[in-house]
Amino acid sequence: MSEAVLFDARDDGIAVVTLNRPETRNCLTSEIRRGLYDAWERFEHDPDLRVAVLTGAGEKAFCAGGDLKEMVETGMRVPPRDLIPVPYDTVELSKPTIAAVNGAAFAGGWLIAQSCDLCVASTTATFAVTEVKVGRSSPWASPLIHMIPQRIMMEILLTGKPITAQRAYEIGLVNRIAEPADLLASALELAGEIIAGAPLSVRAARETVMISTEMGRSAALRAARHASESCYNSHDAQEGPRAFAEKRAPQWRGH
């Protein structure tokens, strides 16, 4: 694993992935990108890891976006499809992810925070889609329409101006806000709440949300029922009600 991206596989089933180049505001250099690809692959294929938390080192930035120096040096026009390791897009993941945004999440930094399933932000965090400021574009922002209102999205993209963590929370981009010293603990608490659920139920719940953003009502209902069958037919689907009736904590097997 690259030192540019740290990977902490915790005993509680949570992986903490840290962008570790605070001196460059954790921007998406080739080194960071390679490290992220490796980290996501490790997370996905480790059966003991169930939730990942993505954060940045330092107090100033979660991720300041793409490497503008690289763009100048290479004369980059349309970015290669796989340039940035984006969860559930250019990276295949089946497990939940949480962005713990500790500072500025600009452009590509907003992208990777947006792509995680959930987002916890420090009170000092800021978010911006800054492409209009540097003559670039942000087609990756299109899924935002499922997260925030259209006119707010329009203003964010057209002006490139940053919004605060509080504003991001108000518009629905952020799930929780924490003081800087409590950010990681807050993200880990949220991850723990997910891990407390039955693994197949969590997977089916995540698939249901994603299906619902892609399809109309009737098609989504049919697809979600199909996605839930393995959950309903599992051992855990019997263990949960049994544990409730016996007034004890359930013992999940994940099958």
Side-chain angles (χ1 to χ4, degrees):
M1 189 65 60
S2 167
E3 290 184 359
V5 177
L6 305 180
F7 192 98
D8 179 17
R10 294 163 48 101
D11 293 338
D12 56 6
I14 302 171
V16 178
V17 180
T18 306
L19 307 181
N20 190 38
R21 286 293 181 263
E23 67 277 10
T24 57
R25 295 167 62 86
N26 299 318
C27 75
L28 294 167
T29 61
S30 58
E31 183 184 30
I32 287 273
R33 299 196 304 266
R34 286 194 302 270
L36 265 180
Y37 268 116
D38 291 343
W40 290 134
E41 182 176 7
R42 179 176 173 184
F43 168 60
E44 177 68 8
H45 293 99
D46 188 332
D48 293 327
L49 297 175
R50 291 186 52 199
V51 180
V53 173
L54 174 65
T55 193
E59 299 178 356
K60 294 184 178 180
F62 168 73
C63 174
D67 186 350
L68 296 180
K69 291 182 180 179
E70 178 186 22
M71 293 179 191
V72 171
E73 292 169 359
T74 62
M76 185 184 296
R77 293 181 180 271
V78 178
R81 179 72 178 80
D82 61 352
L83 179 69
I84 298 174
V86 180
Y88 317 107
D89 184 0
T90 57
V91 175
E92 292 187 11
L93 292 179
S94 60
K95 306 174 186 180
T97 53
I98 301 169
V101 180
N102 54 297
F106 288 5
W110 178 309
L111 164 60
I112 58 176
Q114 166 191 305
S115 300
C116 291
D117 290 319
L118 300 166
C119 183
V120 179
S122 163
T123 54
T124 58
T126 52
F127 298 80
V129 181
T130 56
E131 274 73 358
V132 296
K133 300 291 189 181
V134 291
R136 306 294 288 179
S137 189
S138 52
W140 51 263
S142 56
L144 272 176
I145 201 65
H146 297 293
M147 301 179 185
I148 66 176
Q150 177 181 327
R151 290 201 170 182
I152 294 174
M153 177 179 172
M154 190 73 77
E155 181 178 351
I156 287 169
L157 267 62
L158 266 57
T159 67
K161 293 179 62 176
I163 60 172
T164 64
Q166 180 62 35
R167 179 59 173 160
Y169 175 77
E170 291 168 355
I171 65 177
L173 184 69
V174 166
N175 296 88
R176 301 181 182 183
I177 298 178
E179 292 299 324
D182 301 326
L183 175 65
L184 185 56
S186 181
L188 293 173
E189 180 183 16
L190 181 55
E193 292 170 6
I194 295 170
I195 287 177
L200 290 179
S201 296
V202 169
R203 180 186 289 258
R206 188 187 179 281
E207 289 182 7
T208 296
V209 174
M210 300 313 295
I211 285 168
S212 300
T213 66
E214 300 290 339
M215 302 179 178
R217 178 181 177 277
S218 297
L221 280 170
R222 289 193 298 270
R225 291 188 189 108
H226 177 73
S228 296
E229 285 183 5
S230 61
C231 172
Y232 282 133
N233 290 324
S234 69
H235 164 273
D236 287 352
Q238 302 303 315
E239 166 64 6
R242 185 182 300 114
F244 178 82
E246 295 174 1
K247 298 181 180 180
R248 60 175 176 82
Q251 301 296 312
W252 306 125
R253 294 185 184 176
H255 58 78

